[in-house]
């Protein structure tokens, strides 16, 4: 059973640019959550999508957006990149929405974004 | 506002000894708690969880304890092995279903 796949694994952008990250969940999983990991801050929740609908959103500016397709694959986009956006972006999938009872997330290896 | 806190950024323990990782939280509405382990260049992997209605859950060498009155969670690893060297994150689920993570504790198991 393939795990959660994130692409690209590494990328370098400059300030002001935008970036799109992709996540393919485990087959059959309909929920995809995105997290930002920075040193000392742990994992900060960005948003969750379930059946193409955003179910939950964290406290990030509107420059961070996402979407989910009918095959459950998800993308997140960050526009007008800032230096502080440099981080590891993790995607996690689960069968049910995280609000629907006990639920364990399976994470991908992440996309490491560096903003220069 | 960090509602889940892991105040020890690192922990060094000898192989065969007990590792104790601590986690404190502020939101009394958290109903489910989890521990994840993360190796470099990999995503976090689920380790063990506990519901708020319990105070202990055990799985092999790993035991999680929950003290609701103190809003404190701990993970015990007995005995510690070199392969346990990783970053450990505690997480708690809020009333919206979101998982909130701590900043992580780097565990190093020495021979």
């Amino acid at each position: 059973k393939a795990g959660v796949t994130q692409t690209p694994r590494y990328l370098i952008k400059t300030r002001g640019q935008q970036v799109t990250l992709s996540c393919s969940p485990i087959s059959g999983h309909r929920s995809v959550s995105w997290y930002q990991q920075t040193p000392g801050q742990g994992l900060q929740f960005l948003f969750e999508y379930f059946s193409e609908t955003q179910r939950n959103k964290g406290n990030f500016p509107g420059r961070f957006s996402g979407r989910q397709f009918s095959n459950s694959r998800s993308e997140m986009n960050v526009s007008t990149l800032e230096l502080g956006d440099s981080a590891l972006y993790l995607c996690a999938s689960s069968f049910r929405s995280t609000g629907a009872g006990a639920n364990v997330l399976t994470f991908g290896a992440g996309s490491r974004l560096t903003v220069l | 506002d960090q509602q889940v806190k892991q105040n020890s950024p690192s922990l060094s323990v000898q192989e065969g000894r007990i590792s104790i990782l601590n986690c404190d939280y502020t939101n009394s509405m958290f109903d489910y708690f989890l521990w994840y382990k993360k190796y470099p260049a990999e995503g976090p992997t689920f380790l063990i969880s506990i519901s708020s209605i319990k105070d202990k859950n055990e799985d092999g060498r790993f035991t999680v304890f929950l003290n609701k009155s103190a809003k404190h969670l701990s993970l015990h690893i007995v005995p510690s092995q070199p392969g346990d060297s990783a970053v450990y994150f505690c997480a708690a689920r809020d009333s919206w279903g979101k998982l909130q993570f701590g900043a992580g504790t780097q565990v190093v198991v020495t021979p």
Side-chain angles (χ1 to χ4, degrees):
Chain A
K1 190 173 182 181
V4 178
T5 304
Q6 292 188 244
T7 56
R9 289 293 311 277
Y10 303 91
L11 65 166
I12 299 173
K13 294 284 187 179
T14 55
R15 279 182 299 174
Q17 286 187 311
Q18 74 161 15
V19 65
T20 299
L21 308 177
S22 179
C23 173
S24 293
I26 289 174
S27 178
H29 284 192
R30 293 189 293 161
S31 168
V32 173
S33 299
W34 288 89
Y35 287 83
Q36 180 195 64
Q37 185 190 358
T38 53
Q41 291 295 313
L43 280 68
Q44 303 290 314
F45 175 76
L46 282 154
F47 26 67
E48 182 207 357
Y49 286 87
F50 182 82
S51 293
E52 301 179 66
T53 302
Q54 188 180 86
R55 287 298 181 96
N56 261 315
K57 191 176 190 307
N59 296 323
F60 278 81
R63 300 185 296 107
F64 292 80
S65 63
R67 59 178 176 168
Q68 186 180 35
F69 302 95
S70 58
N71 62 357
S72 294
R73 190 177 70 84
S74 176
E75 288 181 348
M76 69 162 280
N77 185 77
V78 187
S79 63
T80 319
L81 284 166
E82 301 176 359
L83 295 179
D85 296 333
S86 294
L88 179 67
Y89 290 88
L90 292 160
C91 160
S93 75
S94 59
F95 178 71
R96 293 173 293 183
S97 171
T98 55
N103 209 3
V104 172
L105 301 179
T106 302
F107 283 85
S111 293
R112 171 76 62 185
L113 171 65
T114 301
V115 182
L116 302 176
Chain B
D1 177 31
Q2 199 80 1
Q3 296 187 46
V4 178
K5 295 179 183 177
Q6 293 177 257
N7 292 318
S8 298
S10 63
L11 172 70
S12 182
V13 64
Q14 258 189 326
E15 183 178 359
R17 300 288 188 113
I18 183 172
S19 293
I20 299 177
L21 290 80
N22 294 305
C23 179
D24 296 298
Y25 61 94
T26 58
N27 187 343
S28 59
M29 298 303 291
F30 286 149
D31 66 349
Y32 195 64
F33 302 87
L34 308 90
W35 285 93
Y36 280 81
K37 179 168 77 171
K38 185 180 185 300
Y39 293 118
E42 295 182 12
T45 54
F46 170 73
L47 197 55
I48 192 169
S49 63
I50 187 167
S51 164
S52 60
I53 62 173
K54 299 196 171 190
D55 55 18
K56 177 182 174 182
N57 187 27
E58 196 170 349
D59 184 2
R61 298 186 297 112
F62 303 91
T63 303
V64 57
F65 296 92
L66 176 62
N67 182 334
K68 285 187 66 177
S69 60
K71 294 190 180 70
H72 180 80
L73 187 71
S74 65
L75 173 69
H76 292 206
I77 307 173
V78 185
S80 300
Q81 299 174 354
D84 297 330
S85 296
V87 177
Y88 290 78
F89 293 97
C90 78
R93 189 179 67 188
D94 65 19
S95 54
W96 295 99
K98 292 186 296 187
L99 281 186
Q100 305 217 21
F101 285 80
T105 297
Q106 172 76 61
V107 172
V108 176
V109 180
T110 57

